[in-house]
Amino acid sequence: MTVDLVSEAWRMAGADLDVRVQAPARVVIGGTAIDCSAFLPDFGSVNGVAAFSVSMRPTLPAPMNTDPYRSLLNDTTYARFDRDLFICTLNDWNWFGKGEPPDWYTGAPWSL
C-alpha cells in the first residue's frame, strides 16, 4: 500500500477537524480487498466512505450492501489540506457516526 498526497491531506484533515480517518487504508468492496487513499468510518454511509485518488485508477467490483460508500477524488484538488474544501466534502458525504457530529458539521450539500 503506497502513501499518496491525498492520504497525507486526509490525515491532516482528521487531526484538524477531529474526525476518524485511516489513510491510506484497505477496504473490502464487493468481497475484494482494495487499497484506498482514505477511509472515514463516520461519513458517507453506515459503512463509512472509501476515498480513492484518481491516480489510483481503481477498478472496483460491483458494490454490496455492506460496502462503504465510494468517492473518487481529484489528486490536484485533494493533494493538500484545505479546511473549507474538506469540510464541504464531509458535509456533502453526510455524518453517519454514533453520537454528535463535529461542531463544524452542517450537513449542507456541496457548496464550493
Side-chain angles (χ1 to χ4, degrees), residues 10 14-15 19 27 34 51 53 59 61 69 74 80 83 87:
W10 276 108
V19 295
V27 295
I34 300 172
S53 64
T59 301
Y69 175 73
N74 182 291
R80 67 174 189 81
R83 192 171 204 275
I87 285 175

PDB file of all heavy atoms in Angstrom, residues 10 14-15 19 27 34 51 53 59 61 69 74 80 83 87:
ATOM      1  N   TRP A  10      -5.688  13.840   3.962  1.00  0.00           N
ATOM      2  CA  TRP A  10      -6.790  13.348   4.794  1.00  0.00           C
ATOM      3  C   TRP A  10      -6.350  13.105   6.231  1.00  0.00           C
ATOM      4  O   TRP A  10      -7.114  13.316   7.165  1.00  0.00           O
ATOM      5  CB  TRP A  10      -7.428  12.096   4.182  1.00  0.00           C
ATOM      6  CG  TRP A  10      -8.451  12.488   3.158  1.00  0.00           C
ATOM      7  CD1 TRP A  10      -8.337  12.371   1.808  1.00  0.00           C
ATOM      8  CD2 TRP A  10      -9.708  13.112   3.414  1.00  0.00           C
ATOM      9  NE1 TRP A  10      -9.456  12.882   1.214  1.00  0.00           N
ATOM     10  CE2 TRP A  10     -10.317  13.339   2.172  1.00  0.00           C
ATOM     11  CE3 TRP A  10     -10.384  13.485   4.571  1.00  0.00           C
ATOM     12  CZ2 TRP A  10     -11.575  13.935   2.048  1.00  0.00           C
ATOM     13  CZ3 TRP A  10     -11.643  14.089   4.451  1.00  0.00           C
ATOM     14  CH2 TRP A  10     -12.218  14.302   3.201  1.00  0.00           C
ATOM     15  N   GLY A  14      -8.135  14.828   9.363  1.00  0.00           N
ATOM     16  CA  GLY A  14      -8.602  14.124  10.556  1.00  0.00           C
ATOM     17  C   GLY A  14      -8.150  14.807  11.829  1.00  0.00           C
ATOM     18  O   GLY A  14      -8.937  14.985  12.771  1.00  0.00           O
ATOM     19  N   ALA A  15      -6.886  15.216  11.865  1.00  0.00           N
ATOM     20  CA  ALA A  15      -6.343  15.874  13.053  1.00  0.00           C
ATOM     21  C   ALA A  15      -6.972  17.255  13.254  1.00  0.00           C
ATOM     22  O   ALA A  15      -7.369  17.606  14.365  1.00  0.00           O
ATOM     23  CB  ALA A  15      -4.827  15.988  12.941  1.00  0.00           C
ATOM     24  N   VAL A  19     -11.913  14.232  13.249  1.00  0.00           N
ATOM     25  CA  VAL A  19     -12.708  13.114  12.734  1.00  0.00           C
ATOM     26  C   VAL A  19     -11.797  11.903  12.556  1.00  0.00           C
ATOM     27  O   VAL A  19     -10.589  12.041  12.369  1.00  0.00           O
ATOM     28  CB  VAL A  19     -13.409  13.458  11.392  1.00  0.00           C
ATOM     29  CG1 VAL A  19     -14.433  14.546  11.591  1.00  0.00           C
ATOM     30  CG2 VAL A  19     -12.423  13.831  10.307  1.00  0.00           C
ATOM     31  N   VAL A  27      -9.874  -1.449   2.157  1.00  0.00           N
ATOM     32  CA  VAL A  27     -11.294  -1.683   2.387  1.00  0.00           C
ATOM     33  C   VAL A  27     -11.742  -2.889   1.568  1.00  0.00           C
ATOM     34  O   VAL A  27     -11.078  -3.282   0.614  1.00  0.00           O
ATOM     35  CB  VAL A  27     -12.144  -0.444   2.011  1.00  0.00           C
ATOM     36  CG1 VAL A  27     -11.827   0.734   2.922  1.00  0.00           C
ATOM     37  CG2 VAL A  27     -11.956  -0.061   0.554  1.00  0.00           C
ATOM     38  N   ILE A  34      -9.288  -3.788  -1.332  1.00  0.00           N
ATOM     39  CA  ILE A  34      -8.766  -2.788  -2.255  1.00  0.00           C
ATOM     40  C   ILE A  34      -8.146  -1.645  -1.452  1.00  0.00           C
ATOM     41  O   ILE A  34      -8.713  -1.194  -0.458  1.00  0.00           O
ATOM     42  CB  ILE A  34      -9.895  -2.234  -3.153  1.00  0.00           C
ATOM     43  CG1 ILE A  34     -10.528  -3.365  -3.963  1.00  0.00           C
ATOM     44  CG2 ILE A  34      -9.392  -1.133  -4.061  1.00  0.00           C
ATOM     45  CD1 ILE A  34     -11.755  -2.967  -4.736  1.00  0.00           C
ATOM     46  N   ALA A  51     -12.286   6.776   0.132  1.00  0.00           N
ATOM     47  CA  ALA A  51     -11.899   7.818  -0.814  1.00  0.00           C
ATOM     48  C   ALA A  51     -10.722   7.323  -1.646  1.00  0.00           C
ATOM     49  O   ALA A  51      -9.705   6.903  -1.097  1.00  0.00           O
ATOM     50  CB  ALA A  51     -11.534   9.090  -0.063  1.00  0.00           C
ATOM     51  N   SER A  53      -8.022   8.301  -4.764  1.00  0.00           N
ATOM     52  CA  SER A  53      -7.492   9.354  -5.624  1.00  0.00           C
ATOM     53  C   SER A  53      -7.565   8.866  -7.069  1.00  0.00           C
ATOM     54  O   SER A  53      -7.445   7.668  -7.334  1.00  0.00           O
ATOM     55  CB  SER A  53      -6.062   9.710  -5.235  1.00  0.00           C
ATOM     56  OG  SER A  53      -5.196   8.626  -5.425  1.00  0.00           O
ATOM     57  N   THR A  59     -10.114  -0.180 -10.136  1.00  0.00           N
ATOM     58  CA  THR A  59     -11.135  -0.962 -10.808  1.00  0.00           C
ATOM     59  C   THR A  59     -11.938  -1.590  -9.681  1.00  0.00           C
ATOM     60  O   THR A  59     -11.433  -2.458  -8.960  1.00  0.00           O
ATOM     61  CB  THR A  59     -10.514  -2.053 -11.702  1.00  0.00           C
ATOM     62  OG1 THR A  59      -9.686  -1.406 -12.668  1.00  0.00           O
ATOM     63  CG2 THR A  59     -11.583  -2.869 -12.391  1.00  0.00           C
ATOM     64  N   PRO A  61     -15.138  -3.572  -7.990  1.00  0.00           N
ATOM     65  CA  PRO A  61     -16.202  -4.543  -8.259  1.00  0.00           C
ATOM     66  C   PRO A  61     -17.557  -3.943  -7.917  1.00  0.00           C
ATOM     67  O   PRO A  61     -17.643  -2.886  -7.284  1.00  0.00           O
ATOM     68  CB  PRO A  61     -15.848  -5.714  -7.334  1.00  0.00           C
ATOM     69  CG  PRO A  61     -15.012  -5.123  -6.258  1.00  0.00           C
ATOM     70  CD  PRO A  61     -14.316  -3.940  -6.843  1.00  0.00           C
ATOM     71  N   TYR A  69     -19.465   3.559   1.174  1.00  0.00           N
ATOM     72  CA  TYR A  69     -19.685   4.472   0.061  1.00  0.00           C
ATOM     73  C   TYR A  69     -18.326   4.704  -0.592  1.00  0.00           C
ATOM     74  O   TYR A  69     -17.294   4.662   0.077  1.00  0.00           O
ATOM     75  CB  TYR A  69     -20.277   5.781   0.602  1.00  0.00           C
ATOM     76  CG  TYR A  69     -20.447   6.862  -0.428  1.00  0.00           C
ATOM     77  CD1 TYR A  69     -21.446   6.784  -1.390  1.00  0.00           C
ATOM     78  CD2 TYR A  69     -19.615   7.986  -0.415  1.00  0.00           C
ATOM     79  CE1 TYR A  69     -21.610   7.785  -2.330  1.00  0.00           C
ATOM     80  CE2 TYR A  69     -19.772   8.990  -1.358  1.00  0.00           C
ATOM     81  CZ  TYR A  69     -20.767   8.885  -2.303  1.00  0.00           C
ATOM     82  OH  TYR A  69     -20.920   9.879  -3.231  1.00  0.00           O
ATOM     83  N   ASN A  74     -10.133  14.068  -7.029  1.00  0.00           N
ATOM     84  CA  ASN A  74      -9.110  14.639  -7.894  1.00  0.00           C
ATOM     85  C   ASN A  74      -7.815  14.803  -7.121  1.00  0.00           C
ATOM     86  O   ASN A  74      -7.794  15.418  -6.058  1.00  0.00           O
ATOM     87  CB  ASN A  74      -9.606  15.984  -8.423  1.00  0.00           C
ATOM     88  CG  ASN A  74      -8.636  16.625  -9.370  1.00  0.00           C
ATOM     89  OD1 ASN A  74      -7.561  17.062  -8.958  1.00  0.00           O
ATOM     90  ND2 ASN A  74      -9.018  16.698 -10.625  1.00  0.00           N
ATOM     91  N   ARG A  80      -3.521  18.590  -1.026  1.00  0.00           N
ATOM     92  CA  ARG A  80      -3.129  19.341   0.168  1.00  0.00           C
ATOM     93  C   ARG A  80      -4.401  19.663   0.945  1.00  0.00           C
ATOM     94  O   ARG A  80      -5.482  19.819   0.362  1.00  0.00           O
ATOM     95  CB  ARG A  80      -2.352  20.602  -0.177  1.00  0.00           C
ATOM     96  CG  ARG A  80      -3.129  21.652  -0.889  1.00  0.00           C
ATOM     97  CD  ARG A  80      -2.306  22.936  -1.068  1.00  0.00           C
ATOM     98  NE  ARG A  80      -3.132  24.017  -1.570  1.00  0.00           N
ATOM     99  CZ  ARG A  80      -3.936  24.770  -0.839  1.00  0.00           C
ATOM    100  NH1 ARG A  80      -4.045  24.570   0.450  1.00  0.00           N
ATOM    101  NH2 ARG A  80      -4.652  25.725  -1.389  1.00  0.00           N
ATOM    102  N   ARG A  83      -8.960  23.414   4.554  1.00  0.00           N
ATOM    103  CA  ARG A  83     -10.003  23.186   5.556  1.00  0.00           C
ATOM    104  C   ARG A  83     -11.414  23.358   4.979  1.00  0.00           C
ATOM    105  O   ARG A  83     -12.287  22.517   5.187  1.00  0.00           O
ATOM    106  CB  ARG A  83      -9.791  24.126   6.746  1.00  0.00           C
ATOM    107  CG  ARG A  83     -10.641  23.781   7.947  1.00  0.00           C
ATOM    108  CD  ARG A  83     -10.209  24.620   9.162  1.00  0.00           C
ATOM    109  NE  ARG A  83     -10.566  23.974  10.398  1.00  0.00           N
ATOM    110  CZ  ARG A  83     -11.753  24.072  10.977  1.00  0.00           C
ATOM    111  NH1 ARG A  83     -12.706  24.798  10.407  1.00  0.00           N
ATOM    112  NH2 ARG A  83     -11.997  23.441  12.107  1.00  0.00           N
ATOM    113  N   ILE A  87     -14.172  20.361   4.653  1.00  0.00           N
ATOM    114  CA  ILE A  87     -15.436  20.482   5.383  1.00  0.00           C
ATOM    115  C   ILE A  87     -16.612  20.348   4.420  1.00  0.00           C
ATOM    116  O   ILE A  87     -17.581  19.640   4.703  1.00  0.00           O
ATOM    117  CB  ILE A  87     -15.500  21.809   6.176  1.00  0.00           C
ATOM    118  CG1 ILE A  87     -14.610  21.712   7.418  1.00  0.00           C
ATOM    119  CG2 ILE A  87     -16.934  22.153   6.570  1.00  0.00           C
ATOM    120  CD1 ILE A  87     -14.489  23.001   8.210  1.00  0.00           C
TER     121      ILE A  87
END
